[in-house]
Amino acid sequence: MDPLASYTFHVWLGTLEFGFSRVSGLSRETETTIYQEGGVNDRVHVLRGPVRNPGALHMERGAYAGEYFPFYLAGERLSPPMRIEVRSPEGLWPTGKFYTVTGLVVKKWEAGELDAQQNTLLIDKFDLQYEFLYVTVQ
């Protein structure tokens, strides 16, 4: 098996495809409780707790003019779920690794720095909260 390239991915919101240069915050975590059973001194029990949610996604992309883009709607719930497909290094086909997030709410949108003395791209930054993350491998 080859390791997956992290730089080739596509972001889908329903049937709409969007390009992002960076996505971070894909994670799941569970709480645990350590239980020491009475009379048993050689081990402890680790009990699984609930999965900690919600998660927070941080996304960045270059700003475009004249394009419908629902991520500008801070405070709005986005539906349907968002799917992130990891692609082959050539970017031609999905590798079989998909991240699907549900219950998305746009928490924050921030425009990058406007600086007339630099020749750089204008970057939009988005923070989204999500209720659940599914990881699918095909």
Side-chain angles (χ1 to χ4, degrees):
M1 278 193 210
D2 294 330
L4 296 175
S6 66
Y7 59 86
T8 321
F9 59 93
H10 291 240
V11 177
W12 295 84
L13 189 63
T15 59
L16 300 174
E17 182 178 10
F18 299 102
F20 285 89
S21 58
R22 180 174 293 153
V23 175
S24 62
L26 292 167
S27 68
R28 287 185 64 186
E29 184 177 338
T30 187
E31 297 176 10
T32 58
T33 303
I34 296 177
Y35 176 71
Q36 178 73 49
E37 186 176 353
V40 179
N41 297 322
D42 62 342
R43 68 180 182 276
V44 295
H45 299 282
V46 178
L47 306 174
R48 192 190 105 159
V51 174
R52 272 187 46 191
N53 283 320
L57 282 178
H58 309 287
M59 307 173 82
E60 294 181 11
R61 69 179 253 147
Y64 292 88
E67 177 189 34
Y68 170 72
F69 197 66
F71 294 83
Y72 288 130
L73 304 173
E76 295 292 322
R77 180 173 291 274
L78 300 178
S79 73
M82 183 171 64
R83 187 178 75 210
I84 301 168
E85 298 178 352
V86 178
R87 296 285 180 137
S88 67
E90 299 81 25
L92 301 176
W93 62 88
T95 61
K97 185 91 171 195
F98 303 97
Y99 302 96
T100 305
V101 290
T102 61
L104 283 168
V105 175
V106 181
K107 182 177 177 183
K108 179 182 176 183
W109 163 69
E110 177 183 350
E113 181 178 321
L114 299 172
D115 187 350
Q117 300 193 15
Q118 297 292 324
N119 187 17
T120 59
L121 292 174
L122 178 60
I123 302 294
D124 283 333
K125 299 175 185 178
F126 305 92
D127 290 337
L128 289 83
Q129 292 289 141
Y130 62 89
E131 292 176 357
F132 201 78
L133 167 67
Y134 301 94
V135 180
T136 308
V137 179
Q138 295 179 347

